[in-house]
Amino acid sequence: MKNLRPVGVIGAGKYVPERILDNAELEKMVETNDEWIVSRTGIRERHIAAPEQATSDLAYEASIKALASAGIKPEELDLIIVATITPDTSFPSTACILQDKLGAKKAAAFDLSAACSGFVYSLAAATGFIQNGMYNNALVIGADTLSRITDYTDRNTCVLFGDGAGAVVLGEVPQGRGFQSFDLGAEGAGGDQLKLPAGGSRLPASAETVDAKQHFIYMNGRDVFKFAVRVMGTATEEVLRKAEMTKDDIDLFIPHQANIRIIQSAMQRLNLSEDRVMINVDKYANTSAASIPLALVEAYEQGRIKEGDRVVMVGFGGGLTWGGAALIW
Ligand code: UT7
């Protein structure tokens, strides 16, 4: 991306709902235990949206913080992209609902569906719009309310997911900074491993689909695990190669927060010590599109990202998809 207008993060904010569902409470809901959940996933608790909160409400809270930190007013925004698989409604898009809530009157707005890779896909899309001069800024949000599509009687999945939102404002940054490379990919052939079976045009909602619990996440955990371990390694290596960086250049690695064992296998392959990796899966669980921005914003708030730091983010998920980005902060 040399010789292009440099685009980077100029503001960031996050939001998680107040209610915490911890492993002890899950023990009362399904046949599970804290020891199993922590040792197999690293998750201790997750945040769950209140009944009246939808994805756009989570996105709104994260967005106003990101806009304030960027010093940009909603009416100055050119573009809003919401990465989500749990939109408020199929249409209008969550981005349009958010545009209205924010009063971002001149902003174009659309949702992007790439599951847990959605935030990185959206960063790449927004960066392209700004690099080519079509827009000067963009609000990019990863927001999901997975609790609405989680079956809390299925121990295989209900311990894994949480709700949240993270937002960044992208804009022009000084030369030598900003996004250095992206690596986006998909293996559609693996789509059936992780999906929401009903509610779309293939299988519209009906009494039968509700009875068959087809409006909840279906996941083949073991196959997705193998895919995740593989692409976390390959996508990181590819994004580093494109950015002309090496593993040693990484100041902070921000992986999708799905399972501590997947993160640890990437750390081993990339030879990264814990002080160079952001981990918060213990507090928020897997929040899909919100996972990477929640980790990015939290790392920034904790002072773990400073000007000039080389940050690498890598996500993977439904599709199946993956997305990596290398950024000089
Ligand atoms: O962002 C989307 C991407 N998704 C992911 O990254 C998920 C990737 N996959 C995983 O993280 C792991 O595969 C899981 C955490 C989902 C499962 O861990 P695992 O080590 O692969 O366990 P398993 O599926 O091999 O199951 C082991 C056993 C099974 O019992 P049997 O059949 O061996 O008797 C499960 O029934 O653990 C059992 N089990 C549980 N036990 C207690 C499954 N869930 C639970 C539970 N509590 N919550």
Side-chain angles (χ1 to χ4, degrees):
M1 303 207 294
K2 287 214 167 76
N3 306 319
L4 290 169
R5 189 184 187 195
V7 178
V9 176
I10 59 170
K14 70 175 190 350
Y15 174 78
V16 287
E18 264 173 49
R19 158 132 166 72
I20 293 174
L21 172 62
D22 63 15
N23 291 351
E25 194 176 345
L26 277 165
E27 284 179 9
K28 295 179 199 140
M29 295 161 63
V30 288
E31 204 184 319
T32 189
N33 57 78
D34 179 62
E35 197 281 326
W36 190 97
I37 302 173
V38 173
S39 64
R40 298 290 182 111
T41 72
I43 299 165
R44 293 182 186 277
E45 54 189 39
R46 62 292 286 143
H47 290 246
I48 304 294
E52 67 278 10
Q53 283 181 311
T55 297
S56 69
D57 301 312
L58 276 49
Y60 175 80
E61 297 296 333
S63 297
I64 51 174
K65 291 181 197 160
L67 286 167
S69 89
I72 285 187
K73 296 194 190 75
E75 52 273 28
E76 294 172 308
L77 272 178
D78 293 331
L79 173 67
I80 300 172
I81 306 179
V82 177
T84 189
I85 50 164
T86 48
D88 291 26
T89 50
S90 283
F91 70 92
S93 69
T94 302
C96 286
I97 296 168
L98 179 65
Q99 186 238 26
D100 178 47
K101 277 188 186 153
L102 289 170
K105 288 201 162 43
K106 74 164 183 174
F110 65 89
D111 287 359
L112 192 149
S113 170
C116 311
S117 315
F119 180 72
V120 178
Y121 263 71
S122 301
L123 289 177
T127 297
F129 279 115
I130 301 172
Q131 272 175 342
N132 72 23
M134 186 160 164
Y135 297 127
N136 286 317
N137 62 48
L139 174 65
V140 176
I141 305 116
D144 265 310
T145 315
L146 290 183
S147 62
R148 298 284 147 75
I149 55 167
T150 297
D151 177 2
Y152 286 97
T153 65
D154 175 13
R155 71 173 184 174
N156 289 295
T157 52
C158 75
V159 303
L160 304 173
F161 304 119
D163 302 336
V168 294
V169 181
L170 301 190
E172 189 165 349
V173 293
Q175 278 296 338
R177 303 257 291 278
F179 289 102
Q180 304 297 303
S181 67
F182 290 102
D183 182 54
L184 308 180
E187 281 179 16
D192 282 340
Q193 307 300 340
L194 179 52
K195 65 179 180 181
L196 189 65
S201 58
R202 177 70 59 200
L203 205 52
S206 66
E208 288 75 31
T209 61
V210 172
D211 284 347
K213 297 188 167 195
Q214 288 174 311
H215 296 275
F216 293 126
I217 297 171
Y218 165 82
M219 181 169 75
N220 177 340
R222 283 180 204 177
D223 281 9
V224 175
F225 191 95
K226 284 184 215 151
F227 168 79
V229 167
R230 172 164 57 86
V231 300
M232 283 281 271
T234 52
T236 307
E237 284 161 7
E238 193 54 18
V239 95
L240 288 171
R241 189 189 62 74
K242 289 182 188 168
E244 297 179 9
M245 291 183 191
T246 69
K247 296 170 191 175
D248 296 339
D249 291 326
I250 301 174
D251 292 304
L252 193 66
F253 183 64
I254 304 184
H256 170 42
Q257 309 284 317
N259 186 321
I260 191 72
R261 287 153 53 214
I262 297 170
I263 297 174
Q264 283 163 346
S265 93
M267 286 167 67
Q268 230 171 359
R269 176 163 171 172
L270 301 163
N271 201 16
L272 291 170
S273 50
E274 221 164 275
D275 56 315
R276 290 165 68 206
V277 182
M278 181 62 196
I279 299 172
N280 61 9
V281 66
D282 52 323
K283 292 195 293 185
Y284 305 126
N286 181 347
T287 56
S288 189
S291 144
I292 290 183
L294 275 179
L296 176 73
V297 179
E298 189 157 287
Y300 179 66
E301 288 170 352
Q302 291 174 350
R304 292 187 66 183
I305 307 178
K306 301 174 297 301
E307 258 180 41
D309 276 358
R310 289 171 163 77
V311 177
V312 172
M313 305 169 234
V314 179
F316 58 84
L320 299 170
T321 54
W322 71 84
L327 167 71
I328 300 182
W329 193 266

